[in-house]
Amino acid sequence: MFDARPWGPAAATGIGSMPGTDVRETARMVLETLPALPFLPELPARGPGADMIGRTIGLLPDLHARVEPSGWRVADRPGRDSRRARDRLSEDLDTLEEFTQGWSGALKVSLVGPWTLAAALERRNGEAMVGDHGARRDLVAALAETAGDIVATVRRRVPGAKPVLQLDEPSLVAVLRGRVPTASGYRTHRAVDRQEVEEGLRRVIDAAGVPVVAHSCAPEVPFALLRRAGAHGVSFDLSLLTEGEYDAVAESVEAGTTLFVGVLPGDGADPAVLSDPGATVMGVRSLWRGPGLSPALLPESVVVTPACGLAGASPAYARAALAHCVRAARSLADNPE
């Protein structure tokens, strides 16, 4: 067994993507700013292979892909694009290892979840893998193996780490609702059965063998499905949550699920949102009061985050936003009511 909350109470973290191309400076900043739950940053501005889809594809065993104008597409053999993805991740891990000498604690790494990956990765005919049952099955199996491998890699490179795996699933609801467009754009792929979706997620989560956080910055996050699949935490954008979803959130909290609550916009368009940490988490307190959750549960059950990745913001805003999340988490713990 493992500690499902190795980050401790009153924690804050980031989602994953960050602005710029400086791997060393970004990793150093994240480790300094987020003492409870730092993460391995993604820097998509470096180009294909540094984005979340490319990074995950570069790790998949026996599955090769190349970049097409429409996105990533399965290829017959390793090529420049998949090699570049692996090289960039290796560089990121080298940097992380260098800056964590003698360090110990929770450390978060990310993979794209099986259903967002199935919606994004194209078969050779240009259609998404989500439209083919056999392709979906093979992708889940490959990703389950990858989940175990990346956790083992983190443990080897950072012996003091307590790994946490984040599965990025922004397209999960689109897969469940049959909203993933076909290559022509005129139709959508048929919805995938909820049982298959749940079982696919469970297989990847079980293979990781560490706390797993499912992240989606889209509306209508399926809290109950993610809980049944074994997710230990659910990461979401609080501004997209409706009152009709409060009961599902409460059920998750009472079942022991940690809420990674996104409270800050990721684009940095309005720096004034960073002026008052207490005001930033007022919505979290409202979320708690709505279904009558015990305030005593709040410090351990909530991790404060930006609403989504910060790749579209300036480096200055990204740094300030992460520091603000730390202060907001402390404010929430000091005054949960």
Side-chain angles (χ1 to χ4, degrees):
M1 289 296 292
F2 51 79
D3 181 1
R5 291 172 173 165
W7 45 80
T13 191
I15 297 302
S17 66
M18 297 290 288
T21 59
D22 191 330
V23 177
R24 294 177 61 80
E25 176 56 30
T26 305
R28 180 187 293 111
M29 182 273 288
V30 166
L31 286 160
E32 290 175 351
T33 307
L34 299 168
L37 187 52
F39 60 95
L40 179 65
E42 298 168 357
L43 300 177
R46 288 184 292 172
D51 58 298
M52 69 177 192
I53 299 292
R55 173 182 273 190
T56 298
I57 289 172
L59 289 169
L60 294 175
D62 303 321
L63 196 156
H64 315 298
R66 65 180 185 272
V67 177
E68 296 286 344
S70 55
W72 285 88
R73 182 174 297 178
V74 170
D76 294 326
R77 60 184 64 85
R80 178 185 62 184
D81 296 325
S82 54
R83 285 195 297 268
R84 180 169 51 194
R86 287 192 293 272
D87 289 345
R88 282 176 169 157
L89 178 59
S90 180
E91 178 187 0
D92 295 347
L93 289 167
D94 288 344
T95 303
L96 182 71
E97 183 176 358
E98 177 186 347
F99 289 151
T100 53
Q101 296 295 315
W103 178 89
S104 63
L107 178 62
K108 183 164 66 72
V109 294
S110 300
L111 292 173
V112 175
W115 302 109
T116 294
L117 193 58
L121 181 57
E122 298 172 356
R123 289 171 281 158
R124 291 172 180 83
N125 64 3
E127 294 291 355
M129 294 189 80
V130 74
D132 182 271
H133 182 270
R136 299 195 300 264
R137 181 192 59 228
D138 293 345
L139 196 58
V140 167
L143 194 61
E145 183 176 342
T146 299
D149 288 346
I150 190 64
V151 168
T153 297
V154 170
R155 283 181 168 142
R156 183 177 69 253
R157 285 177 171 265
V158 188
K162 298 177 181 178
V164 177
L165 179 64
Q166 177 175 302
L167 293 178
D168 290 313
E169 282 284 17
S171 298
L172 177 59
V173 173
V175 169
L176 287 167
R177 301 288 177 88
R179 298 173 182 167
V180 178
T182 59
S184 69
Y186 293 115
R187 297 184 299 108
T188 58
H189 289 284
R190 184 179 301 174
V192 179
D193 181 77
R194 296 181 74 86
Q195 188 65 32
E196 182 184 346
V197 170
E198 183 178 325
E199 289 174 357
L201 284 164
R202 183 181 299 110
R203 183 169 180 182
V204 176
I205 290 169
D206 288 348
V210 297
V212 174
V213 180
H215 166 69
S216 176
C217 50
E220 304 174 326
V221 175
F223 288 93
L225 183 151
L226 293 170
R227 184 179 72 251
R228 291 194 304 270
H232 306 88
V234 178
S235 174
F236 62 98
D237 180 347
L238 181 60
S239 70
L240 300 179
L241 197 70
T242 66
E243 287 191 18
E245 295 173 285
Y246 279 17
D247 287 343
V249 171
E251 289 172 5
S252 294
V253 171
E254 290 168 348
T257 304
T258 301
L259 304 182
F260 285 63
V261 186
V263 296
L264 287 177
D267 57 10
D270 181 12
V273 299
L274 305 179
S275 61
D276 184 351
T280 297
V281 288
M282 284 298 294
V284 182
R285 296 187 180 96
S286 298
L287 172 62
W288 229 251
R289 287 193 297 268
L293 288 166
S294 168
L297 291 173
L298 201 155
E300 293 186 354
S301 300
V302 168
V303 175
V304 176
T305 76
C308 212
L310 296 167
S314 68
Y317 177 84
R319 177 190 293 270
L322 295 181
H324 186 83
C325 285
V326 172
R327 293 191 294 271
R330 174 48 57 192
S331 169
L332 200 59
D334 290 344
N335 183 22
E337 298 186 76

